[in-house]
Amino acid sequence: MTEGDHRPPAGAPDAAAVFDALGSAYEKAFAGSAAHRASLDWLLERLAPGSSVLDVGSGTGRPTAETLAGAGHRVLGVDVSPVMVELARRQVPDAAFRCADIREVPLAEGSYDAVCVYFSLLQMTRDEQSGLLERLVRALRPGGHMVLATVPVDVAGVDAVFMGRPVRVTSFAAEDFTALATGAGLTVLRAEESLFTPAHPEAVPEPHLFVYARRD
């Protein structure tokens, strides 16, 4: 691929198509994640009133954008799936949503008080994940917080099935993902691993890693 060309390799499932097909089923499958809710509570405790928050891979807007906007914060959700963005706009009218590839969205230095990245890196290459994370850290104001969540497995470009849909997954082992966050300029305050089974007939138990961090 040429520089700036973020199309998937030939034969790779397109992330927008995968999540267009899943739609609200994705929200229902992950609604029971206590770890996700706990991470939002942690973030809310640290945000000043009316903070600006970037939600990367915002999906249907629930629970992240809905929770944060409901607490009075200014939320921008960015997602590559038109179906997800339309659902989010209907469900969370108090937040703003943009249908775009986050890798192509201009991010001003220090423009956000917090950034959320829940499982939205998994269909990017390792180099793309690293480069995007560095950009997201620069978009945080000094002292701002970031919550990252991923599936902590050491795989690169592996074909898998997620909720009945073919996907191509790239990720890092837990310690390597935490090191990635540190290398991007974050201070990791906490990292928690858990096992979660999405509420979907074709889902299997997934290891989840939540990283709580701050830009100093």
Side-chain angles (χ1 to χ4, degrees), residues 116-152:
C116 300
V117 189
Y118 290 106
F119 305 104
S120 48
L121 304 178
L122 290 163
Q123 292 190 64
M124 300 180 190
T125 68
R126 286 180 172 171
D127 284 346
E128 287 171 336
Q129 291 185 44
S130 177
L132 175 60
L133 190 51
E134 289 175 0
R135 290 183 62 230
L136 293 174
V137 171
R138 290 195 296 271
L140 265 181
R141 66 165 179 80
H145 291 85
M146 186 180 297
V147 177
L148 299 153
T150 192
V151 177

Side-chain angles (χ1 to χ4, degrees), residues 164-212:
R165 297 285 168 178
V167 294
R168 185 161 294 172
V169 176
T170 295
S171 191
F172 299 83
E175 60 273 18
D176 294 330
F177 189 78
T178 303
L180 186 73
T182 301
L186 292 168
T187 296
V188 174
L189 305 173
R190 193 162 88 221
E192 295 186 350
E193 293 187 68
S194 60
L195 195 65
F196 179 75
T197 303
H200 187 274
E202 296 186 63
V204 296
E206 300 176 359
H208 286 175
L209 172 68
F210 284 78
V211 175
Y212 299 76

Side-chain angles (χ1 to χ4, degrees), residues 34-121:
H36 192 152
R37 300 279 181 177
S39 71
L40 290 172
D41 289 342
W42 179 88
L43 196 57
L44 286 171
E45 290 172 0
R46 287 157 178 80
L47 290 176
S51 290
S52 59
V53 184
L54 177 63
D55 182 10
V56 178
S58 47
T60 67
R62 294 173 175 166
T64 304
E66 182 179 63
T67 300
L68 296 169
H73 301 297
R74 295 173 288 119
V75 181
L76 172 63
V78 178
D79 201 287
V80 74
S81 162
V83 170
M84 290 292 199
V85 169
E86 181 57 31
L87 282 168
R89 286 171 175 162
R90 292 204 309 264
Q91 295 187 150
V92 192
D94 291 335
F97 297 94
R98 180 175 175 184
C99 186
D101 187 328
I102 188 62
R103 293 167 291 186
E104 298 169 356
V105 174
L107 298 170
E109 176 87 20
S111 52
Y112 292 97
D113 298 301
V115 176
C116 300
V117 189
Y118 290 106
F119 305 104
S120 48
L121 304 178

